[in-house]
Each structure stands twice: as structure tokens, then as C-alpha cells.
Amino acid sequence: FYATLFAGFLIIVLLALILSDWGLSPQHKYTVTSRGVDFVSDSEEPAQLLLAIRESREFIVAPQFVQEGPENSYMTQSLTAFNAVLIGQGKKVVAVGRLVGEDGSLISCETNFGDPKTSKELSAKECSDMLASYSGQFSSVTVFISLPDPKLGRPRVILSRNTVSINPSSFESVSYVSYVFLSSLYDDAQSMIGNANAIVSRI
């Protein structure tokens, strides 16, 4: 009796977890998988949003960093790829490196304000205010690159008209997800990233 009761309980729990996608992945109205990366949206088809995003004149690229550790090199590689492709397309790129604590809370950030020769550290509030100010500009797109979430089944790119969230599933996938997204925007992204990597390797 108890074995049957326990087995029934396990089946109910497993069904609940499966139906809720293990409680880890929110459901989105639109989902398209490309090269192992999920492109999701709640407003429009991902293809339509990508067409709109590629025409934006200004991009704010905001990867997350930890206070210290080899993990930061993966995030830097992603930022380098975005800079190489977007600047190569004639876009203005504002880099915003977001330093986060162990709990994911924002500590501070460093930005170039769109000038490669400039670098200024901002407090958490100043950084949040700056990013919020860009969110209301229809001519710009803010790209948030998050630290990896190992609970993700596949890397995910969440799209809206003025915001992109890059969500890798591991540090090894950070550059790959960035590459897949950039390639979805511009056909020549691969060659631009290759040229940038060649220059970096010679420095």
C-alpha cells in the first residue's frame, strides 16, 4: 500500500515538474531555435524583431562581470565580438561593463559613453539610471549579456524592440551565443569577428 502510494506521489511530482518545464524556463509566446540557441519573444516573431534591431543606429552592450576570476575573460570575448561587428557595421557602441556580486546584485559599472578613449566608473545607481535612460530611446538597442545559468537547457536570446538579453548556459557558450545572435543580424559577422580575433592574437 505504502509503496503504491509513494509511487503515485512521485508520478504526480514528476508530471508537475515536466508541465512547468522543471520550473526553470518561463514560457514565451514565440520561440525559434537556431543552431542550438533559443530566440524567444513575447511581442513579435523573432525574425521580425531581428530585422528591426539590425537597423538601429546605436547599441548599448552591457555584459556582466564578477569582481575577479577567469570567468571575466569569457565575458570580455563576447564584448569584443559585439564591438567588432557593430562598429564594422557603422553603429555607435556604448560599452557598459556591469560588476555584480555573488547574489547577482549590481555593484558598479564601467562605461566608455560610446568613446573608445574614455572609461569612467559609475555607482550602481548611476549605472541603473544610465541604462534606464537608454531604454526609452527608440533609435537604440540595449544588449544585456548575463553570466551563465547552468540550469538552462539551451542558451537563450530574449528579444524585444529595444532590448536583447543574451543568456548563455555555460561560460564556454558565452562567445557562441553572441556569435549566433550577431550572425542572425549581419551575414558578414563571422569574418568581422575573425579579423578582430586575428588582431587580438597579434597584440
Side-chain angles (χ1 to χ4, degrees):
F1 171 77
Y2 289 109
T4 303
L5 186 64
F6 181 70
F9 174 75
L10 278 181
I11 291 172
I12 293 172
V13 171
L14 287 172
L15 282 173
L17 288 172
I18 292 170
L19 290 174
S20 64
D21 198 17
W22 298 95
L24 301 175
S25 303
Q27 299 299 311
H28 296 275
K29 187 174 181 180
Y30 303 101
T31 300
V32 175
T33 302
S34 175
R35 288 176 280 187
V37 178
D38 287 342
F39 287 76
V40 303
S41 169
D42 291 320
S43 57
E44 301 175 60
E45 290 281 358
Q48 294 298 114
L49 290 170
L50 288 169
L51 286 174
I53 290 169
R54 69 179 294 173
E55 300 302 324
S56 299
R57 299 190 298 270
E58 182 178 38
F59 287 80
I60 299 85
V61 184
Q64 288 183 328
F65 291 92
V66 295
Q67 289 183 303
E68 60 179 27
E71 300 89 349
N72 286 337
S73 64
Y74 294 98
M75 310 308 290
T76 301
Q77 290 171 13
S78 179
L79 179 59
T80 301
F82 270 90
N83 276 322
V85 174
L86 296 175
I87 292 175
Q89 294 291 337
K91 310 296 183 179
K92 179 181 178 181
V93 180
V94 179
V96 183
R98 296 175 292 149
L99 180 63
V100 298
E102 293 183 1
D103 61 351
S105 61
L106 182 64
I107 297 174
S108 64
C109 70
E110 193 165 330
T111 180
N112 65 358
F113 295 107
D115 180 359
K117 298 178 181 179
T118 298
S119 180
K120 182 178 180 181
E121 185 174 350
L122 303 177
S123 68
K125 184 180 185 308
E126 290 173 326
C127 186
S128 297
D129 290 345
M130 176 186 177
L131 292 171
S133 70
Y134 282 112
S135 66
Q137 298 181 17
F138 294 105
S139 61
S140 67
V141 172
T142 302
V143 181
F144 295 100
I145 308 172
S146 300
L147 291 168
D149 180 358
K151 294 180 292 187
L152 284 177
R154 278 191 298 263
R156 182 180 299 132
V157 177
I158 304 174
L159 302 169
S160 68
R161 278 278 167 171
N162 300 99
T163 305
V164 177
S165 295
I166 306 287
N167 298 275
S169 56
S170 67
F171 281 106
E172 290 74 19
S173 70
V174 174
S175 293
Y176 177 70
V177 184
S178 301
Y179 161 73
V180 172
F181 170 71
L182 290 166
S183 297
S184 299
L185 288 181
Y186 306 108
D187 294 335
D188 53 356
Q190 183 175 1
S191 62
M192 290 183 173
I193 294 173
N195 292 337
N197 289 337
I199 293 172
V200 170
S201 67
R202 293 198 297 267
I203 296 177

